[in-house]
Amino acid sequence: MSSRKVAIFGVIALLGVVVPALPAASARKPIARKHPRLHVLAHAFATVALPGVGLLPDDEYDLPADGQKYELKLAHSHTGEMIDVVYRIGDTYIPEALDELNHFLRDSHNEEVSMYDPRTFDVLHTMLAKLRKPNGVIDVLSGYRSQETNDMLRESGTTNAAEHSQHIVAKAVDLRVAGVPAPLLRDAAKSLEAGGVGYYPASQFVHVDVGPVRQWTYTPHKAHRRSRRAKHAPPKHT
Protein backbone atom coordinates (compact mmCIF):
# COMPACT_ATOMS: atom_id res chain seq x y z
CA MET A 1 0.00 0.00 0.00
CA SER A 2 1.40 3.41 -0.96
CA SER A 3 2.24 5.95 1.67
CA ARG A 4 -0.53 8.23 0.26
CA LYS A 5 -3.23 5.59 0.82
CA VAL A 6 -1.94 4.94 4.31
CA ALA A 7 -2.28 8.66 5.10
CA ILE A 8 -5.88 8.76 3.76
CA PHE A 9 -6.92 5.71 5.82
CA GLY A 10 -5.31 7.32 8.85
CA VAL A 11 -7.43 10.50 8.43
CA ILE A 12 -10.61 8.44 7.97
CA ALA A 13 -9.86 6.44 11.08
CA LEU A 14 -9.26 9.63 13.03
CA LEU A 15 -12.58 11.15 11.84
CA GLY A 16 -14.34 7.99 12.79
CA VAL A 17 -13.26 8.53 16.38
CA VAL A 18 -13.90 12.27 16.57
CA VAL A 19 -17.23 12.65 14.78
CA PRO A 20 -19.31 10.27 16.96
CA ALA A 21 -17.98 12.09 20.03
CA LEU A 22 -19.51 15.43 18.97
CA PRO A 23 -23.19 14.64 19.79
CA ALA A 24 -22.18 13.42 23.24
CA ALA A 25 -20.28 16.65 23.92
CA SER A 26 -23.21 18.68 22.59
CA ALA A 27 -25.63 16.81 24.81
CA ARG A 28 -23.70 17.90 27.87
CA LYS A 29 -24.45 21.59 27.19
CA PRO A 30 -26.76 23.20 29.76
CA ILE A 31 -30.32 23.63 28.47
CA ALA A 32 -31.81 27.10 28.81
CA ARG A 33 -35.08 26.95 30.72
CA LYS A 34 -37.67 29.65 31.28
CA HIS A 35 -38.30 30.92 34.76
CA PRO A 36 -41.25 28.90 36.18
CA ARG A 37 -43.29 32.06 36.81
CA LEU A 38 -42.73 33.35 33.27
CA HIS A 39 -43.74 29.94 31.94
CA VAL A 40 -46.99 30.12 33.92
CA LEU A 41 -47.73 33.67 32.77
CA ALA A 42 -47.12 32.71 29.15
CA HIS A 43 -50.01 30.23 29.40
CA ALA A 44 -52.20 32.27 31.73
CA PHE A 45 -54.77 33.56 29.25
CA ALA A 46 -58.03 31.74 28.72
CA THR A 47 -59.21 31.32 25.14
CA VAL A 48 -61.87 34.02 25.12
CA ALA A 49 -62.85 36.31 22.27
CA LEU A 50 -64.56 39.68 22.32
CA PRO A 51 -68.33 39.38 21.98
CA GLY A 52 -69.94 40.34 18.71
CA VAL A 53 -71.60 43.66 17.98
CA GLY A 54 -74.07 44.60 20.69
CA LEU A 55 -77.50 46.12 20.12
CA LEU A 56 -79.65 48.58 22.00
CA PRO A 57 -83.29 47.55 22.41
CA ASP A 58 -86.04 49.74 20.96
CA ASP A 59 -87.71 49.64 24.35
CA GLU A 60 -85.63 49.55 27.54
CA TYR A 61 -87.98 46.90 28.90
CA ASP A 62 -87.64 44.74 25.78
CA LEU A 63 -84.69 42.68 27.05
CA PRO A 64 -83.91 39.03 26.27
CA ALA A 65 -85.12 36.53 28.85
CA ASP A 66 -81.97 34.44 28.56
CA GLY A 67 -78.46 34.60 27.17
CA GLN A 68 -74.95 35.14 28.52
CA LYS A 69 -74.79 37.82 31.18
CA TYR A 70 -71.92 40.31 31.04
CA GLU A 71 -71.10 41.69 34.46
CA LEU A 72 -68.61 44.34 35.59
CA LYS A 73 -67.38 45.18 39.08
CA LEU A 74 -65.66 48.55 39.27
CA ALA A 75 -64.16 50.64 42.07
CA HIS A 76 -63.20 54.29 41.52
CA SER A 77 -59.98 55.50 43.13
CA HIS A 78 -61.02 59.18 43.17
CA THR A 79 -64.69 59.05 44.14
CA GLY A 80 -64.52 55.97 46.39
CA GLU A 81 -67.61 54.57 44.66
CA MET A 82 -68.16 50.95 43.64
CA ILE A 83 -70.51 49.41 41.13
CA ASP A 84 -71.55 45.85 40.29
CA VAL A 85 -73.73 45.73 37.21
CA VAL A 86 -74.86 43.40 34.41
CA TYR A 87 -74.63 45.68 31.39
CA ARG A 88 -75.39 43.20 28.61
CA ILE A 89 -77.39 40.01 28.05
CA GLY A 90 -76.50 38.08 24.92
CA ASP A 91 -76.28 40.61 22.11
CA THR A 92 -78.35 43.26 23.88
CA TYR A 93 -77.03 46.10 26.00
CA ILE A 94 -79.12 47.15 28.99
CA PRO A 95 -79.79 50.92 28.71
CA GLU A 96 -80.30 51.44 32.43
CA ALA A 97 -77.01 49.68 33.20
CA LEU A 98 -75.17 51.77 30.59
CA ASP A 99 -76.53 54.92 32.27
CA GLU A 100 -75.15 53.70 35.61
CA LEU A 101 -71.73 53.06 34.09
CA ASN A 102 -71.72 56.43 32.34
CA HIS A 103 -72.37 58.16 35.66
CA PHE A 104 -69.80 56.04 37.47
CA LEU A 105 -67.12 56.92 34.90
CA ARG A 106 -67.97 60.63 34.91
CA ASP A 107 -65.31 63.36 35.01
CA SER A 108 -64.35 63.36 38.68
CA HIS A 109 -63.09 66.97 38.45
CA ASN A 110 -66.32 68.65 37.34
CA GLU A 111 -68.93 65.83 37.52
CA GLU A 112 -69.64 66.01 33.78
CA VAL A 113 -71.18 62.81 32.39
CA SER A 114 -70.80 61.47 28.86
CA MET A 115 -72.18 58.46 27.00
CA TYR A 116 -69.50 55.75 26.85
CA ASP A 117 -68.94 53.63 23.78
CA PRO A 118 -70.28 50.31 25.19
CA ARG A 119 -67.54 48.39 23.37
CA THR A 120 -65.26 49.73 26.13
CA PHE A 121 -67.19 47.62 28.64
CA ASP A 122 -66.87 44.57 26.38
CA VAL A 123 -63.09 45.05 26.38
CA LEU A 124 -62.98 45.30 30.19
CA HIS A 125 -65.18 42.22 30.61
CA THR A 126 -63.18 40.15 28.11
CA MET A 127 -59.85 41.16 29.67
CA LEU A 128 -60.97 39.75 33.01
CA ALA A 129 -62.27 36.60 31.33
CA LYS A 130 -58.90 36.06 29.59
CA LEU A 131 -57.17 36.51 32.94
CA ARG A 132 -59.53 33.92 34.46
CA LYS A 133 -60.81 36.57 36.88
CA PRO A 134 -64.46 37.01 35.83
CA ASN A 135 -65.33 38.29 39.30
CA GLY A 136 -62.30 40.56 39.57
CA VAL A 137 -62.75 44.19 40.60
CA ILE A 138 -61.33 46.80 38.23
CA ASP A 139 -59.79 49.77 40.01
CA VAL A 140 -60.57 52.78 37.80
CA LEU A 141 -58.03 55.58 37.92
CA SER A 142 -59.50 57.68 35.13
CA GLY A 143 -62.63 57.41 33.04
CA TYR A 144 -64.27 60.16 31.02
CA ARG A 145 -62.50 63.51 30.83
CA SER A 146 -64.12 66.69 29.62
CA GLN A 147 -62.10 68.86 27.26
CA GLU A 148 -61.67 71.32 30.13
CA THR A 149 -60.17 68.67 32.41
CA ASN A 150 -57.95 67.23 29.69
CA ASP A 151 -56.56 70.70 28.90
CA MET A 152 -55.93 71.30 32.60
CA LEU A 153 -54.01 68.02 32.91
CA ARG A 154 -51.94 68.78 29.83
CA GLU A 155 -51.03 72.22 31.15
CA SER A 156 -50.05 70.79 34.53
CA GLY A 157 -47.40 68.61 32.91
CA THR A 158 -47.94 65.94 35.56
CA THR A 159 -49.64 63.40 33.30
CA ASN A 160 -49.36 61.98 29.81
CA ALA A 161 -52.76 63.35 28.75
CA ALA A 162 -52.88 63.41 24.95
CA GLU A 163 -54.29 66.38 23.07
CA HIS A 164 -56.82 64.16 21.31
CA SER A 165 -57.28 61.68 24.14
CA GLN A 166 -59.78 58.85 23.83
CA HIS A 167 -60.86 59.79 27.37
CA ILE A 168 -62.46 62.95 25.89
CA VAL A 169 -64.76 60.89 23.66
CA ALA A 170 -65.64 58.41 26.44
CA LYS A 171 -63.79 55.47 24.93
CA ALA A 172 -60.97 54.95 27.45
CA VAL A 173 -60.27 53.79 30.99
CA ASP A 174 -57.05 53.83 33.03
CA LEU A 175 -57.07 50.90 35.43
CA ARG A 176 -55.48 48.34 37.69
CA VAL A 177 -56.76 44.94 38.84
CA ALA A 178 -55.83 43.70 42.30
CA GLY A 179 -53.60 40.63 42.17
CA VAL A 180 -52.77 41.05 38.49
CA PRO A 181 -49.33 42.46 37.56
CA ALA A 182 -49.66 45.45 35.25
CA PRO A 183 -47.53 43.83 32.50
CA LEU A 184 -49.88 40.83 32.43
CA LEU A 185 -52.89 43.14 32.32
CA ARG A 186 -51.26 44.99 29.42
CA ASP A 187 -50.63 41.76 27.52
CA ALA A 188 -54.23 40.62 28.01
CA ALA A 189 -55.47 43.92 26.58
CA LYS A 190 -53.03 43.78 23.66
CA SER A 191 -54.15 40.26 22.78
CA LEU A 192 -57.65 41.58 22.05
CA GLU A 193 -56.41 44.01 19.36
CA ALA A 194 -59.49 46.11 20.06
CA GLY A 195 -57.91 49.57 20.41
CA GLY A 196 -55.15 51.42 22.23
CA VAL A 197 -53.14 49.92 25.09
CA GLY A 198 -50.77 52.05 27.15
CA TYR A 199 -48.48 50.73 29.87
CA TYR A 200 -47.29 53.01 32.69
CA PRO A 201 -44.57 51.11 34.58
CA ALA A 202 -43.78 53.89 37.07
CA SER A 203 -47.38 53.95 38.36
CA GLN A 204 -48.17 50.34 37.45
CA PHE A 205 -51.42 50.92 35.58
CA VAL A 206 -52.74 50.28 32.10
CA HIS A 207 -54.75 52.44 29.69
CA VAL A 208 -57.25 50.73 27.39
CA ASP A 209 -59.49 52.29 24.77
CA VAL A 210 -61.54 51.33 21.72
CA GLY A 211 -59.93 53.87 19.41
CA PRO A 212 -57.36 52.96 16.72
CA VAL A 213 -55.24 49.89 17.48
CA ARG A 214 -51.87 51.04 18.88
CA GLN A 215 -49.67 50.56 21.94
CA TRP A 216 -47.11 52.48 23.96
CA THR A 217 -45.10 52.49 27.17
CA TYR A 218 -44.83 55.78 29.03
CA THR A 219 -41.64 56.56 30.92
CA PRO A 220 -41.66 60.08 32.46
CA HIS A 221 -37.87 60.52 32.26
CA LYS A 222 -37.71 59.69 28.57
CA ALA A 223 -40.71 61.90 27.86
CA HIS A 224 -39.03 64.77 29.75
CA ARG A 225 -35.83 64.37 27.73
CA ARG A 226 -37.80 64.40 24.47
CA SER A 227 -39.62 67.54 25.63
CA ARG A 228 -36.32 69.28 26.45
CA ARG A 229 -34.81 68.33 23.09
CA ALA A 230 -37.86 69.68 21.29
CA LYS A 231 -37.73 72.90 23.33
CA HIS A 232 -34.05 73.59 22.54
CA ALA A 233 -34.07 72.34 18.96
CA PRO A 234 -33.50 74.99 16.22
CA PRO A 235 -36.67 76.09 14.41
CA LYS A 236 -37.64 74.05 11.39
CA HIS A 237 -38.08 75.79 8.06
CA THR A 238 -41.02 74.53 6.04
Coordinates of all heavy atoms in Angstrom, one line a residue, residues 77-149:
S77 N -61.0 55.0 42.2 CA -60.0 55.5 43.1 C -60.3 56.9 43.6 O -59.9 57.2 44.8 CB -58.6 55.5 42.5 OG -58.2 54.2 42.2
H78 N -60.8 57.8 42.8 CA -61.0 59.2 43.2 C -62.3 59.5 43.9 O -62.4 60.3 44.8 CB -60.9 60.1 41.9 CG -59.6 60.0 41.3 ND1 -58.4 60.5 41.8 CD2 -59.2 59.5 40.1 CE1 -57.4 60.3 41.0 NE2 -57.8 59.7 40.0
T79 N -63.4 58.8 43.5 CA -64.7 59.0 44.1 C -65.0 58.1 45.3 O -65.9 58.4 46.1 CB -65.8 58.9 43.1 OG1 -65.9 57.6 42.7 CG2 -65.6 59.8 41.9
G80 N -64.3 57.0 45.3 CA -64.5 56.0 46.4 C -65.8 55.1 46.1 O -66.1 54.3 47.0
E81 N -66.4 55.3 45.0 CA -67.6 54.6 44.7 C -67.3 53.2 44.1 O -66.2 52.9 43.6 CB -68.4 55.4 43.6 CG -68.9 56.7 44.1 CD -69.6 57.5 43.0 OE1 -69.7 57.0 41.9 OE2 -70.0 58.6 43.3
M82 N -68.3 52.3 44.2 CA -68.2 51.0 43.6 C -69.5 50.6 42.9 O -70.5 51.2 43.2 CB -67.9 49.9 44.7 CG -66.6 50.1 45.4 SD -66.2 48.6 46.5 CE -65.9 47.4 45.3
I83 N -69.3 49.8 41.9 CA -70.5 49.4 41.1 C -70.4 48.0 40.7 O -69.3 47.5 40.4 CB -70.7 50.3 39.9 CG1 -72.0 50.1 39.2 CG2 -69.5 50.2 38.9 CD1 -72.3 51.1 38.1
D84 N -71.5 47.2 40.7 CA -71.5 45.8 40.3 C -72.8 45.8 39.4 O -73.9 45.9 39.9 CB -71.6 44.9 41.5 CG -71.6 43.4 41.1 OD1 -71.8 43.1 39.9 OD2 -71.5 42.6 42.0
V85 N -72.6 45.6 38.1 CA -73.7 45.7 37.2 C -73.6 44.8 36.0 O -72.5 44.5 35.5 CB -73.8 47.2 36.7 CG1 -72.6 47.6 35.9 CG2 -75.1 47.4 35.8
V86 N -74.8 44.2 35.6 CA -74.9 43.4 34.4 C -75.3 44.4 33.3 O -76.4 44.9 33.4 CB -75.9 42.3 34.5 CG1 -76.1 41.6 33.2 CG2 -75.5 41.3 35.6
Y87 N -74.4 44.6 32.4 CA -74.6 45.7 31.4 C -75.1 45.1 30.0 O -75.5 45.9 29.2 CB -73.4 46.5 31.2 CG -72.3 45.8 30.4 CD1 -72.1 45.8 29.1 CD2 -71.3 45.0 31.1 CE1 -71.2 45.2 28.4 CE2 -70.3 44.3 30.5 CZ -70.3 44.4 29.1 OH -69.3 43.7 28.4
R88 N -75.0 43.8 29.9 CA -75.4 43.2 28.6 C -75.9 41.8 28.8 O -75.4 41.1 29.7 CB -74.2 43.2 27.7 CG -74.3 42.5 26.4 CD -73.1 42.7 25.5 NE -73.1 41.9 24.3 CZ -72.4 42.0 23.2 NH1 -71.5 43.0 23.2 NH2 -72.5 41.3 22.2
I89 N -76.9 41.4 28.1 CA -77.4 40.0 28.1 C -77.4 39.6 26.6 O -78.1 40.1 25.8 CB -78.8 39.9 28.7 CG1 -78.8 40.4 30.1 CG2 -79.3 38.4 28.6 CD1 -80.2 40.3 30.8
G90 N -76.6 38.5 26.3 CA -76.5 38.1 24.9 C -76.0 39.2 24.1 O -74.9 39.7 24.3
D91 N -76.7 39.6 23.0 CA -76.3 40.6 22.1 C -76.9 42.0 22.4 O -76.8 42.9 21.7 CB -76.7 40.2 20.7 CG -75.9 39.1 20.2 OD1 -74.7 38.8 20.7 OD2 -76.3 38.3 19.3
T92 N -77.6 42.0 23.6 CA -78.4 43.3 23.9 C -77.8 44.0 25.1 O -77.6 43.4 26.2 CB -79.8 42.9 24.1 OG1 -80.4 42.2 23.0 CG2 -80.7 44.2 24.4
Y93 N -77.5 45.3 24.9 CA -77.0 46.1 26.0 C -78.2 46.5 26.8 O -79.3 46.7 26.3 CB -76.3 47.3 25.5 CG -75.0 47.1 24.8 CD1 -74.8 47.4 23.5 CD2 -73.9 46.5 25.6 CE1 -73.6 47.1 22.9 CE2 -72.7 46.3 25.0 CZ -72.5 46.6 23.6 OH -71.3 46.3 23.0
I94 N -78.0 46.7 28.1 CA -79.1 47.2 29.0 C -79.0 48.7 29.2 O -78.1 49.1 29.9 CB -79.0 46.4 30.3 CG1 -79.1 44.9 30.1 CG2 -80.2 46.8 31.3 CD1 -78.8 44.1 31.3
P95 N -79.9 49.5 28.6 CA -79.8 50.9 28.7 C -79.6 51.5 30.1 O -78.8 52.3 30.4 CB -81.1 51.4 28.1 CG -81.5 50.3 27.1 CD -81.1 49.0 27.8
E96 N -80.4 50.9 31.1 CA -80.3 51.4 32.4 C -78.9 51.2 33.0 O -78.3 52.0 33.7 CB -81.4 50.8 33.3 CG -81.4 51.3 34.7 CD -82.4 50.6 35.6 OE1 -83.2 49.8 35.0 OE2 -82.5 50.9 36.8
A97 N -78.3 50.0 32.7 CA -77.0 49.7 33.2 C -75.9 50.6 32.6 O -75.0 51.0 33.2 CB -76.7 48.2 32.9
L98 N -76.1 50.9 31.3 CA -75.2 51.8 30.6 C -75.2 53.2 31.2 O -74.2 53.8 31.4 CB -75.5 51.9 29.1 CG -75.4 50.6 28.3 CD1 -75.6 50.9 26.8 CD2 -74.0 50.0 28.5
D99 N -76.4 53.6 31.6 CA -76.5 54.9 32.3 C -75.8 54.9 33.6 O -75.1 55.9 34.0 CB -78.0 55.3 32.5 CG -78.8 55.6 31.2 OD1 -78.1 55.9 30.2 OD2 -80.0 55.5 31.2
E100 N -75.9 53.8 34.3 CA -75.2 53.7 35.6 C -73.6 53.8 35.4 O -72.9 54.4 36.1 CB -75.5 52.4 36.3 CG -76.9 52.3 36.8 CD -77.2 51.0 37.6 OE1 -76.4 50.7 38.5 OE2 -78.2 50.3 37.3
L101 N -73.2 53.1 34.4 CA -71.7 53.1 34.1 C -71.3 54.4 33.6 O -70.2 54.9 34.0 CB -71.4 52.0 33.0 CG -71.5 50.5 33.6 CD1 -71.5 49.6 32.4 CD2 -70.3 50.2 34.5
N102 N -72.1 55.1 32.8 CA -71.7 56.4 32.3 C -71.6 57.4 33.5 O -70.6 58.2 33.6 CB -72.8 57.0 31.4 CG -72.8 56.2 30.1 OD1 -71.8 55.7 29.6 ND2 -74.0 56.2 29.4
H103 N -72.5 57.3 34.5 CA -72.4 58.2 35.7 C -71.2 57.8 36.5 O -70.5 58.7 37.0 CB -73.7 58.1 36.5 CG -73.7 59.0 37.7 ND1 -73.3 58.5 38.9 CD2 -73.9 60.3 37.8 CE1 -73.4 59.5 39.8 NE2 -73.8 60.6 39.1
F104 N -70.9 56.5 36.7 CA -69.8 56.0 37.5 C -68.5 56.5 36.9 O -67.6 56.9 37.7 CB -69.8 54.5 37.5 CG -68.7 53.9 38.3 CD1 -68.8 53.8 39.7 CD2 -67.5 53.6 37.7 CE1 -67.7 53.3 40.5 CE2 -66.4 53.0 38.5 CZ -66.6 52.9 39.8
L105 N -68.4 56.5 35.6 CA -67.1 56.9 34.9 C -67.1 58.4 34.5 O -66.3 58.8 33.7 CB -66.9 56.1 33.6 CG -66.7 54.6 33.9 CD1 -66.8 53.8 32.6 CD2 -65.3 54.3 34.5
R106 N -67.9 59.2 35.2 CA -68.0 60.6 34.9 C -66.6 61.3 35.2 O -65.8 60.8 35.9 CB -69.1 61.3 35.8 CG -68.8 61.3 37.2 CD -70.0 61.6 38.0 NE -69.8 61.7 39.5 CZ -69.8 60.6 40.3 NH1 -70.0 59.4 39.7 NH2 -69.6 60.7 41.6
D107 N -66.5 62.5 34.7 CA -65.3 63.4 35.0 C -65.3 63.7 36.5 O -66.2 64.4 37.0 CB -65.4 64.6 34.2 CG -64.1 65.5 34.3 OD1 -63.5 65.5 35.4 OD2 -63.7 66.1 33.3
S108 N -64.4 63.2 37.2 CA -64.4 63.4 38.7 C -63.9 64.8 39.1 O -64.1 65.1 40.3 CB -63.4 62.4 39.3 OG -62.1 62.5 38.9
H109 N -63.5 65.6 38.1 CA -63.1 67.0 38.4 C -64.3 67.9 38.4 O -64.4 68.8 39.2 CB -62.0 67.5 37.5 CG -60.7 66.8 37.6 ND1 -59.7 67.2 38.5 CD2 -60.2 65.7 37.0 CE1 -58.7 66.4 38.5 NE2 -59.0 65.4 37.6
N110 N -65.2 67.7 37.5 CA -66.3 68.6 37.3 C -67.7 67.9 37.3 O -68.7 68.6 37.0 CB -66.1 69.6 36.1 CG -66.0 68.8 34.8 OD1 -66.4 67.6 34.7 ND2 -65.5 69.4 33.8
E111 N -67.7 66.6 37.5 CA -68.9 65.8 37.5 C -69.6 65.7 36.2 O -70.8 65.3 36.1 CB -69.9 66.4 38.6 CG -69.4 66.4 40.0 CD -69.1 65.0 40.5 OE1 -70.0 64.2 40.5 OE2 -68.0 64.7 40.9
E112 N -69.0 66.1 35.1 CA -69.6 66.0 33.8 C -69.8 64.5 33.4 O -68.8 63.8 33.5 CB -68.8 66.8 32.7 CG -69.5 66.9 31.4 CD -68.7 67.8 30.4 OE1 -68.3 68.8 30.8 OE2 -68.5 67.3 29.2
V113 N -70.9 64.2 32.8 CA -71.2 62.8 32.4 C -71.2 62.7 30.9 O -71.8 63.6 30.2 CB -72.5 62.3 33.0 CG1 -72.8 60.9 32.5 CG2 -72.5 62.3 34.5
S114 N -70.7 61.7 30.3 CA -70.8 61.5 28.9 C -71.2 60.0 28.6 O -71.2 59.2 29.5 CB -69.4 61.7 28.2 OG -69.5 61.6 26.8
M115 N -71.7 59.8 27.4 CA -72.2 58.5 27.0 C -71.0 57.6 26.5 O -70.4 58.0 25.4 CB -73.3 58.5 25.9 CG -74.6 59.2 26.4 SD -75.8 59.2 25.1 CE -76.0 57.5 24.8
Y116 N -70.6 56.6 27.2 CA -69.5 55.8 26.8 C -69.8 54.9 25.7 O -71.0 54.4 25.5 CB -69.1 54.9 28.0 CG -67.8 55.3 28.6 CD1 -67.8 56.3 29.6 CD2 -66.6 54.7 28.3 CE1 -66.6 56.8 30.1 CE2 -65.4 55.1 28.9 CZ -65.4 56.1 29.8 OH -64.2 56.6 30.3
D117 N -68.8 54.6 24.8 CA -68.9 53.6 23.8 C -69.0 52.3 24.5 O -68.1 51.9 25.2 CB -67.7 53.7 22.9 CG -67.8 52.8 21.7 OD1 -68.4 51.7 21.8 OD2 -67.2 53.1 20.6
P118 N -70.1 51.6 24.4 CA -70.3 50.3 25.2 C -69.3 49.2 24.8 O -69.1 48.3 25.6 CB -71.7 49.9 24.9 CG -72.1 50.6 23.6 CD -71.3 51.9 23.6
R119 N -68.6 49.4 23.7 CA -67.5 48.4 23.4 C -66.4 48.4 24.4 O -65.7 47.5 24.6 CB -67.0 48.7 22.0 CG -67.9 48.4 20.8 CD -67.3 48.8 19.5 NE -66.9 50.2 19.5 CZ -66.0 50.7 18.7 NH1 -65.4 49.9 17.7 NH2 -65.6 52.0 18.7
T120 N -66.3 49.6 25.1 CA -65.3 49.7 26.1 C -65.5 48.7 27.2 O -64.6 48.1 27.8 CB -65.3 51.2 26.7 OG1 -65.3 52.1 25.7 CG2 -64.1 51.4 27.6
F121 N -66.8 48.6 27.6 CA -67.2 47.6 28.6 C -66.9 46.2 28.2 O -66.6 45.3 29.0 CB -68.7 47.8 29.0 CG -69.0 49.3 29.4 CD1 -70.1 49.9 28.9 CD2 -68.1 50.1 30.1 CE1 -70.4 51.2 29.2 CE2 -68.4 51.4 30.4 CZ -69.5 52.0 29.9
D122 N -67.2 45.9 26.9 CA -66.9 44.6 26.4 C -65.4 44.3 26.5 O -65.0 43.1 26.8 CB -67.3 44.5 24.9 CG -68.8 44.5 24.7 OD1 -69.5 44.1 25.7 OD2 -69.3 44.9 23.7
V123 N -64.5 45.3 26.3 CA -63.1 45.1 26.4 C -62.7 44.8 27.8 O -62.0 43.8 28.1 CB -62.3 46.3 25.9 CG1 -60.8 46.2 26.3 CG2 -62.4 46.4 24.4
L124 N -63.3 45.5 28.8 CA -63.0 45.3 30.2 C -63.4 43.9 30.6 O -62.7 43.2 31.3 CB -63.7 46.4 31.0 CG -63.2 47.8 30.8 CD1 -64.0 48.7 31.7 CD2 -61.8 48.0 31.0
H125 N -64.6 43.5 30.2 CA -65.2 42.2 30.6 C -64.3 41.1 30.0 O -64.0 40.1 30.7 CB -66.6 42.1 30.1 CG -67.3 40.8 30.5 ND1 -67.2 39.7 29.7 CD2 -68.0 40.4 31.5 CE1 -67.8 38.7 30.2 NE2 -68.4 39.1 31.3
T126 N -63.9 41.2 28.8 CA -63.2 40.1 28.1 C -61.8 40.1 28.7 O -61.2 38.9 28.8 CB -63.1 40.4 26.6 OG1 -64.5 40.6 26.1 CG2 -62.5 39.2 25.9
M127 N -61.2 41.2 29.0 CA -59.9 41.2 29.7 C -59.9 40.3 30.9 O -59.0 39.5 31.1 CB -59.4 42.6 30.0 CG -58.9 43.4 28.9 SD -58.6 45.1 29.4 CE -57.5 44.9 30.8
L128 N -60.9 40.5 31.8 CA -61.0 39.8 33.0 C -61.2 38.3 32.7 O -60.7 37.4 33.4 CB -62.1 40.3 33.9 CG -61.9 41.7 34.5 CD1 -63.1 42.1 35.3 CD2 -60.6 41.7 35.4
A129 N -62.0 38.0 31.7 CA -62.3 36.6 31.3 C -61.0 35.9 30.9 O -60.7 34.8 31.2 CB -63.3 36.5 30.2
K130 N -60.2 36.6 30.1 CA -58.9 36.1 29.6 C -57.9 35.8 30.8 O -57.1 34.9 30.7 CB -58.3 37.0 28.6 CG -59.0 37.0 27.2 CD -58.2 37.8 26.2 CE -57.1 37.0 25.6 NZ -57.5 35.9 24.7
L131 N -58.0 36.7 31.8 CA -57.2 36.5 32.9 C -57.7 35.5 33.9 O -57.1 35.3 35.0 CB -57.0 37.9 33.6 CG -56.2 38.9 32.9 CD1 -56.4 40.3 33.4 CD2 -54.7 38.6 32.9
R132 N -58.9 34.9 33.6 CA -59.5 33.9 34.5 C -59.9 34.6 35.8 O -59.9 34.0 36.8 CB -58.7 32.7 34.7 CG -58.4 31.9 33.5 CD -57.6 30.6 33.8 NE -57.6 29.7 32.7 CZ -56.6 29.7 31.7 NH1 -55.6 30.6 31.9 NH2 -56.6 28.9 30.7
K133 N -60.3 35.8 35.7 CA -60.8 36.6 36.9 C -62.2 37.2 36.6 O -62.3 38.5 36.6 CB -59.8 37.7 37.3 CG -58.6 37.1 38.0 CD -57.7 38.2 38.5 CE -56.5 37.6 39.3 NZ -57.0 37.2 40.6
P134 N -63.2 36.4 36.2 CA -64.5 37.0 35.8 C -65.1 37.8 36.9 O -65.9 38.7 36.7 CB -65.3 35.8 35.5 CG -64.7 34.7 36.2 CD -63.2 35.0 36.2
N135 N -64.8 37.5 38.2 CA -65.3 38.3 39.3 C -64.4 39.3 39.9 O -64.6 39.9 40.9 CB -65.7 37.3 40.4 CG -66.9 36.4 40.0 OD1 -67.8 36.8 39.4 ND2 -66.7 35.1 40.3
G136 N -63.3 39.6 39.1 CA -62.3 40.6 39.6 C -62.9 42.0 39.6 O -63.8 42.3 38.8
V137 N -62.3 42.8 40.5 CA -62.7 44.2 40.6 C -61.7 45.1 39.9 O -60.5 45.0 40.2 CB -62.9 44.6 42.1 CG1 -63.3 46.1 42.2 CG2 -63.9 43.7 42.8
I138 N -62.2 45.9 39.0 CA -61.3 46.8 38.2 C -61.2 48.1 39.0 O -62.3 48.7 39.3 CB -61.9 47.1 36.8 CG1 -61.8 45.8 36.0 CG2 -61.1 48.1 36.1 CD1 -62.5 45.9 34.6
D139 N -60.0 48.5 39.3 CA -59.8 49.8 40.0 C -59.6 50.8 38.9 O -58.6 50.9 38.2 CB -58.5 49.6 40.9 CG -58.2 50.9 41.7 OD1 -59.1 51.8 41.8 OD2 -57.1 51.0 42.2
V140 N -60.6 51.7 38.8 CA -60.6 52.8 37.8 C -59.8 54.0 38.3 O -60.2 54.6 39.4 CB -62.0 53.2 37.4 CG1 -62.0 54.4 36.4 CG2 -62.8 52.0 36.8
L141 N -58.8 54.4 37.6 CA -58.0 55.6 37.9 C -58.5 56.8 37.2 O -58.5 57.9 37.7 CB -56.5 55.4 37.6 CG -55.9 54.1 38.2 CD1 -54.4 54.0 37.8 CD2 -56.0 54.1 39.7
S142 N -59.0 56.6 35.9 CA -59.5 57.7 35.1 C -60.5 57.1 34.1 O -60.2 56.1 33.4 CB -58.3 58.4 34.4 OG -58.8 59.5 33.6
G143 N -61.6 57.8 34.0 CA -62.6 57.4 33.0 C -62.8 58.5 32.0 O -61.8 58.9 31.4
Y144 N -64.0 59.1 31.9 CA -64.3 60.2 31.0 C -63.6 61.4 31.5 O -63.5 61.7 32.7 CB -65.8 60.4 30.9 CG -66.1 61.7 30.2 CD1 -65.9 61.9 28.9 CD2 -66.7 62.7 31.0 CE1 -66.2 63.1 28.2 CE2 -67.0 63.9 30.3 CZ -66.8 64.1 29.0 OH -67.1 65.3 28.4
R145 N -63.1 62.2 30.5 CA -62.5 63.5 30.8 C -63.1 64.5 29.9 O -63.1 64.3 28.7 CB -61.0 63.5 30.6 CG -60.1 62.8 31.5 CD -58.7 63.0 31.2 NE -57.8 61.9 31.7 CZ -56.8 61.5 31.0 NH1 -56.4 62.0 29.9 NH2 -56.1 60.5 31.5
S146 N -63.6 65.6 30.5 CA -64.1 66.7 29.6 C -62.9 67.4 29.0 O -61.8 67.2 29.4 CB -64.9 67.7 30.5 OG -64.0 68.3 31.4
Q147 N -63.2 68.1 27.9 CA -62.1 68.9 27.3 C -61.4 69.8 28.3 O -60.2 69.9 28.3 CB -62.7 69.7 26.1 CG -61.6 70.4 25.2 CD -60.7 69.4 24.5 OE1 -61.2 68.6 23.7 NE2 -59.4 69.4 24.7
E148 N -62.2 70.4 29.1 CA -61.7 71.3 30.1 C -60.7 70.6 31.0 O -59.6 71.1 31.3 CB -62.8 71.9 31.0 CG -62.4 72.7 32.1 CD -63.5 73.1 33.1 OE1 -64.6 72.5 32.9 OE2 -63.3 73.9 34.0
T149 N -61.1 69.4 31.5 CA -60.2 68.7 32.4 C -58.9 68.2 31.7 O -57.8 68.2 32.2 CB -60.9 67.5 33.0 OG1 -62.0 67.9 33.8 CG2 -60.0 66.6 33.8

